[in-house]
């Protein structure tokens, strides 16, 4: 309540507040506001530390990479005047020779080779071999013969494409990682075009969303009847079923995924059963496929669909369905028009939980999916753990976040809780 509202209420009641009373009321209101803010401060701090800061860092990491700029600053400074066509002049090549010798002595030439190889595959061996050959050259000779030594070490140093890669990699802030994440690149003229090399990331995004939608639909088809049965059963039956649903939460995710390996592998339980009863004569390849990933993740994520549905269904009055039937409605139309709309809030919550979790899942696709069943999260983990390309991993993660936010916005506009109409 504000001071203005206090004045309005007192004037309506026919009494007035003195200036001292208004000051006391204002101070009391400010104290309540400070108390409320103090109560939510830990939550705001946690959100800032665990959510805002990591996402901001990821966004910054996707466009910021000072490694090459710090390794060969003199070469990049001389490349500023190069027009991008033909081989740079000898002063640029000589400066690169000086930088490579210094990096070879500092044992950091491999880092430069790794960074340049991301922009132009095959550059790593050129940089490393040249650095080794220049290591024993006298420093005072390099300014005069460095260009010749560089071209003698490898004729690819005369390629304009290599030098464009060097200049592009030397930018501290660049959109190249986001372009790579979208299977795009810049042409020699600076225009954005589709990548000429392997284009895999857009396909992985589409595949990930498709698999997440399939898993969400499967958990709905399996979880809705189960939640309905629990909500309309006796307390003892419902509690027993609830224990079985919660049982996976008491088991390690790694153990649950490993159990699916035992079931789906070539000599596993399912193949042995199918061959034992004569349905198949040879094992069916189920492991390391998209099918294995979908099946295992549906099992893992099923409780996230059942529990929100059950909590909503438990609060629905059973007499509503009986009233609909007593008025002459048939069971199926009555269910679809009376009962089902009242469960849409639980269905929305469960669907969002399953979809968002499945989009970012990593362990299950890595163990049972193989190459065919991997998702975009597996590629992000690969760039972070093996290729050490954190910048590209950050760009891929940022785009995945943008995709999820856009899909949620579209979902909320079309079938969100605010658009649910009963009856």
């Amino acid at each position: 309540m504000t001071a203005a509202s206090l004045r309005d209420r007192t004037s309506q009641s026919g009494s007035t507040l003195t200036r001292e009373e208004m000051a006391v009321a204002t101070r009391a209101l400010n104290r309540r506001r400070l108390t409320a803010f103090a109560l939510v401060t830990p939550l705001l701090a946690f959100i800032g530390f665990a959510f805002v800061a990591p996402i901001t860092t990821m966004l910054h990491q996707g466009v910021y990479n000072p490694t090459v700029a710090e390794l060969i600053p003199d070469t990049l400074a001389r490349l500023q005047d190069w027009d991008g066509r033909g081989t740079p002049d000898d002063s640029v090549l000589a400066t690169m020779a000086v930088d490579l010798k210094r990096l070879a002595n500092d044992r950091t030439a491999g880092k430069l080779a790794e960074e340049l190889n991301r922009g132009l595959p095959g550059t790593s061996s050129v940089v490393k071999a040249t650095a080794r050959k220049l290591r024993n050259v006298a420093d005072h000779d390099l300014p005069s013969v460095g260009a010749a030594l560089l071209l003698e070490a490898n004729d690819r140093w005369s390629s304009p494409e290599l030098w464009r890669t060097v200049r592009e990699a030397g930018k501290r802030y660049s959109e190249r990682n986001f372009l790579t994440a979208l299977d795009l690149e810049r042409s020699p003229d600076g225009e954005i075009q589709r990548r000429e090399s392997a284009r895999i990331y857009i396909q992985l995004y589409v595949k990930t969303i498709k698999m997440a939608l399939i898993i969400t639909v499967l958990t709905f088809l399996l979880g809705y009847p189960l939640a309905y049965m629990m909500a309309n059963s006796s307390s003892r039956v419902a509690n027993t079923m609830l224990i079985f649903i919660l049982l996976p939460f008491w088991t390690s995710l790694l153990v649950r995924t490993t159990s699916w390996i035992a079931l789906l592998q070539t000599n596993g339980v399912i193949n042995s059963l199918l061959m034992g009863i004569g349905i198949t004569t040879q094992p069916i390849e189920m492991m390391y496929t998209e099918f294995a990933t979908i099946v295992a993740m549906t099992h893992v994520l099923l409780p996230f669909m059942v529990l929100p549905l059950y909590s909503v269904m438990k609060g629905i009055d059973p007499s509503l369905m009986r009233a609909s039937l007593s008025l002459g409605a048939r069971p199926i139309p009555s269910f679809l028009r009376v009962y089902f709309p009242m469960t849409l809030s639980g269905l929305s919550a469960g669907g969002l939980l399953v979809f968002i979790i499945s989009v970012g899942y990593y362990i299950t696709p890595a163990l049972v999916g193989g190459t065919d069943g991997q998702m975009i999260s597996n590629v992000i983990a690969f760039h972070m753990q093996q290729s050490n390309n954190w910048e590209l991993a950050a760009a891929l993660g940022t785009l995945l976040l943008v995709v999820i936010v856009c899909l949620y916005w579209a979902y909320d506009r079309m079938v969100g809780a605010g658009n649910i109409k009963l009856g």
Side-chain angles (χ1 to χ4, degrees):
M1 181 182 299
T2 63
S5 62
L6 283 173
R7 288 195 298 266
D8 293 340
R9 293 186 61 180
T10 54
S11 61
Q12 291 175 3
S13 61
S15 61
T16 59
L17 290 177
T18 64
R19 182 175 299 177
E20 291 77 9
E21 291 173 331
M22 287 294 300
V24 170
T26 302
R27 287 196 296 270
L29 179 61
N30 291 334
R31 283 196 298 270
R32 287 196 295 271
R33 287 176 175 173
L34 289 175
T35 302
F37 180 76
L39 291 174
V40 301
T41 297
L43 176 60
L44 294 176
F46 175 78
I47 293 175
F49 175 77
F51 185 75
V52 177
I55 290 179
T56 304
T57 303
M58 182 174 65
L59 289 170
H60 183 260
Q61 190 77 20
V63 297
Y64 180 68
N65 184 9
T67 303
V68 177
E70 294 173 353
L71 290 174
I72 52 172
D74 296 335
T75 300
L76 293 173
R78 289 188 176 274
L79 270 177
Q80 294 299 321
D81 299 329
W82 180 51
D83 61 1
R85 301 183 183 278
T87 306
D89 57 41
D90 289 350
S91 63
V92 176
L93 274 66
T95 305
M96 173 61 89
V98 173
D99 284 337
L100 284 179
K101 175 177 170 54
R102 173 176 51 81
L103 295 178
N105 293 332
D106 296 341
R107 299 185 182 278
T108 54
K111 185 62 178 177
L112 176 65
E114 179 183 332
E115 293 291 332
L116 296 181
N117 195 70
R118 293 169 183 167
L120 182 62
T123 310
S124 177
S125 59
V126 176
V127 173
K128 292 179 180 178
T130 305
R132 286 194 298 268
K133 292 180 180 180
L134 295 174
R135 181 178 297 172
N136 298 323
V137 179
D139 292 341
H140 61 273
D141 293 335
L142 283 177
S144 58
V145 300
L149 291 175
L150 204 69
L151 295 174
E152 181 183 345
N154 196 302
D155 57 3
R156 289 192 64 182
W157 288 110
S158 62
S159 169
E161 185 179 10
L162 187 148
W163 289 102
R164 283 194 294 266
T165 302
V166 172
R167 187 168 63 179
E168 181 65 25
K171 296 179 180 178
R172 293 179 180 269
Y173 289 93
S174 174
E175 78 286 1
R176 61 180 178 271
N177 291 308
F178 283 95
L179 292 178
T180 301
L182 293 171
D183 291 332
L184 300 173
E185 63 182 2
R186 286 196 177 274
S187 66
D189 297 330
E191 297 180 356
I192 297 177
Q193 63 182 16
R194 296 186 64 185
R195 288 180 64 189
E196 296 180 358
S197 56
R199 294 187 289 267
I200 60 173
Y201 297 118
I202 294 297
Q203 295 179 0
L204 273 174
Y205 278 117
V206 174
K207 181 180 180 181
T208 298
I209 294 173
K210 181 194 72 173
M211 293 174 64
L213 289 173
I214 293 174
I215 293 167
T216 303
V217 172
L218 289 177
T219 54
F220 162 69
L221 295 177
L222 295 173
Y224 197 96
L226 183 58
Y228 180 83
M229 181 179 177
M230 291 171 56
N232 293 276
S233 300
S234 62
S235 298
R236 196 177 91 172
V237 173
N239 291 335
T240 302
M241 296 178 66
L242 188 60
I243 291 174
F244 283 105
I245 291 173
L246 294 175
L247 190 61
F249 288 125
W250 305 337
T251 309
S252 169
L253 174 62
L254 186 61
V255 173
R256 281 180 279 168
T257 305
T258 306
S259 65
W260 278 105
I261 297 177
L263 290 171
L264 298 175
Q265 63 184 346
T266 304
N267 297 320
V269 177
I270 295 179
N271 271 314
S272 299
L273 178 62
L274 294 176
M275 293 174 64
I277 61 179
I279 295 180
T280 61
T281 58
Q282 57 184 3
I284 301 174
E285 292 294 335
M286 292 181 287
M287 275 295 297
Y288 308 121
T289 61
E290 186 176 324
F291 168 79
T293 300
I294 291 174
V295 170
M297 290 181 60
T298 299
H299 166 249
V300 171
L301 297 176
L302 183 60
F304 291 96
M305 177 66 76
V306 173
L307 294 179
L309 283 171
Y310 172 67
S311 64
V312 171
M313 291 179 179
K314 194 65 178 175
I316 298 177
D317 189 353
S319 63
L320 295 176
M321 279 291 293
R322 293 195 296 267
S324 177
L325 294 173
S326 66
L327 293 175
R330 294 183 178 180
I332 294 180
S334 179
F335 175 84
L336 295 177
R337 298 190 61 183
V338 177
Y339 191 87
F340 182 76
M342 290 188 290
T343 64
L344 288 180
S345 58
L347 178 59
S348 299
L352 284 176
L353 277 174
V354 172
F355 179 81
I356 293 176
I357 293 175
S358 59
V359 164
Y361 237 56
Y362 165 69
I363 295 179
T364 302
L367 291 178
V368 304
T371 303
D372 292 338
Q374 71 175 355
M375 305 173 77
I376 192 66
S377 57
N378 301 105
V379 178
I380 294 174
F382 167 78
H383 286 303
M384 294 181 65
Q385 299 173 358
Q386 299 185 37
S387 70
N388 293 324
N389 195 346
W390 284 58
E391 295 78 19
L392 180 55
L396 290 169
T398 301
L399 290 178
L400 181 61
L401 175 64
V402 171
V403 169
I404 292 176
V405 170
C406 291
L407 289 175
Y408 174 78
W409 176 83
Y411 168 85
D412 186 65
R413 292 296 298 264
M414 293 185 295
V415 292
N419 298 321
I420 296 174
K421 297 181 180 180
L422 303 179

